[in-house]
Amino acid sequence: AALDGNCTVIISGAVSDLESNSPVTGIRITFAAYPENMLYPLPLITKTAYSDSNGLYSVEAFGFSDVITCKVTAESVDHKALPYEKSVNEILIQWSGEGFDEETMTFFVNNCNFQLKKTE
């Protein structure tokens, strides 16, 4: 019942190295949407994407109707090849305002960027 709505969220951005500002390829991006005002909830939905050769990624999820909190995590799956620290962005989606297309019931979050610091 939690995912029987008609709203969609599309989150996109870029992953780059903090010091060189160069794109980072192959970073796993995990999108998790949580219901608002619940203590320690399980995610309603989880999606995974990877940054491409330009460091870009995009994640799309649908079926929402209520306010959600999205946690977008960028992390390396191979710390020898990609020695970067994990980073998390949190976004509150209220299905109104800037970024919301009422005609398509889609909320766009552009520039959910990550500048990752190399691990020691």
Side-chain angles (χ1 to χ4, degrees), residues 3 10 35 53 65 78 92 100 110 112:
L3 289 174
I10 299 174
S53 60
S65 58
D78 180 355
L92 179 66
F100 184 60
N110 299 317
C112 182

Side-chain angles (χ1 to χ4, degrees), residues 24-112:
V24 181
T25 302
I27 293 293
R28 180 173 59 203
I29 305 297
T30 305
F31 164 88
Y34 296 87
E36 188 185 36
N37 298 328
M38 293 190 75
L39 295 175
Y40 308 106
L42 294 174
L44 298 168
I45 190 169
T46 303
K47 298 266 187 163
T48 303
Y50 290 86
S51 58
D52 67 13
S53 60
N54 296 314
L56 303 176
Y57 76 90
S58 181
V59 180
E60 181 174 348
F62 56 90
F64 304 105
S65 58
D66 296 327
V67 173
I68 56 172
T69 297
C70 300
K71 290 185 181 180
V72 184
T73 305
E75 62 186 323
S76 174
V77 291
D78 180 355
H79 287 283
K80 287 186 180 182
L82 297 169
Y84 289 98
E85 293 180 4
K86 179 168 85 170
S87 181
V88 179
N89 288 335
E90 195 168 298
I91 305 156
L92 179 66
I93 307 289
Q94 296 181 314
W95 310 112
S96 64
E98 188 178 334
F100 184 60
D101 181 345
E102 202 168 330
E103 190 173 306
T104 63
M105 300 301 286
T106 302
F107 198 98
F108 294 93
V109 179
N110 299 317
N111 300 317
C112 182

